[in-house]
Amino acid sequence: MIILGIDPGLRTTGFGVIEKHGSKLRYIASGTIKTGLEGALPPRLKVILNGVGEIIAAYRPACAAIEKVFVNVNPQSTLLLGQARGAAITALVGADLDVAEYTAVQVKQAVVGTGKAAKAQVQDMVSRLLKLPGLPGTDAADALGVAICHAHSLDTLALIGAQTPGGRSSAPPTLRMKRSRLV
């Protein structure tokens, strides 16, 4: 299964494409979509929309995941980031892809093992997990991290899907709810 990860940004949107075979992950591609530092907002959003569309056409992912917007100190920055994220999501759903959303903390937890990891730690672990010859750029590493997070989550989601409404499972019991938590 090919998974596309997106790290949205108005100036630079990162993307990462990986393949999941069982529990193994394989790097396919990564990079950035650059909109430039200046210019009117609508054309910059169009660059993101078209760029994500080109990536989808080139790699034909089965699903996608995108990082959720965090509330920034500057509300204007948060609003602009949300619009860049919206352009990317529009391209994803326009291509009929299922889109999962993860917070930065969830991505860091899945990739590094702690939600408080620094960007350099994410870069290093992404490089190790995907056996890359070097470190990807920060935006590409974040996008690959989003894709890795989703790849790990797919197994859990499949197990949850095997559960029936009464908490009974058609498969051997591997997951159960305890104090409103999945264990």
Side-chain angles (χ1 to χ4, degrees):
M1 166 185 294
I2 296 176
I3 302 168
L4 170 60
I6 301 287
D7 176 41
L10 187 56
R11 291 182 185 162
T12 306
T13 291
F15 72 90
V17 184
I18 63 171
E19 183 175 24
K20 177 179 172 40
H21 260 327
S23 63
K24 295 186 191 236
L25 301 177
R26 183 178 69 87
Y27 172 84
I28 295 178
S30 63
T32 57
I33 301 165
K34 296 190 183 290
T35 64
L37 297 174
E38 295 182 20
L41 181 63
R44 293 171 76 190
L45 295 175
K46 184 178 180 188
V47 169
I48 296 169
L49 178 75
N50 291 342
V52 172
E54 289 172 14
I55 293 161
I56 293 167
Y59 299 104
R60 304 273 184 219
C63 58
I66 191 165
E67 190 172 301
K68 284 185 181 178
V69 174
F70 64 92
V71 178
N72 201 324
V73 175
N74 181 344
Q76 182 64 23
S77 295
T78 304
L79 182 62
L80 291 172
L81 177 58
Q83 291 179 67
R85 187 172 175 275
I89 290 173
T90 300
L92 297 170
V93 298
D96 294 322
L97 293 175
D98 287 332
V99 181
E101 301 174 87
Y102 299 97
T103 65
V105 171
Q106 288 172 310
V107 172
K108 291 175 182 180
Q109 181 72 42
V111 174
V112 181
T114 175
K116 296 182 180 183
K119 281 200 176 279
Q121 290 175 296
V122 173
Q123 281 179 288
D124 183 57
M125 282 307 296
V126 163
S127 180
R128 289 174 189 238
L129 290 169
L130 298 175
K131 298 176 178 78
L132 301 178
L135 294 178
T138 56
D139 295 306
D142 288 348
L144 287 166
V146 171
I148 291 168
C149 179
H150 188 58
H152 292 324
S153 297
L154 285 173
D155 295 333
T156 303
L157 293 171
L159 288 170
I160 292 170
Q163 299 288 323
T164 59
R168 309 229 187 266
S169 174
S170 58
T174 53
L175 289 177
R176 60 187 172 85
M177 295 298 288
K178 184 176 182 181
R179 295 185 193 162
S180 299
R181 291 184 177 210
L182 189 63
V183 292

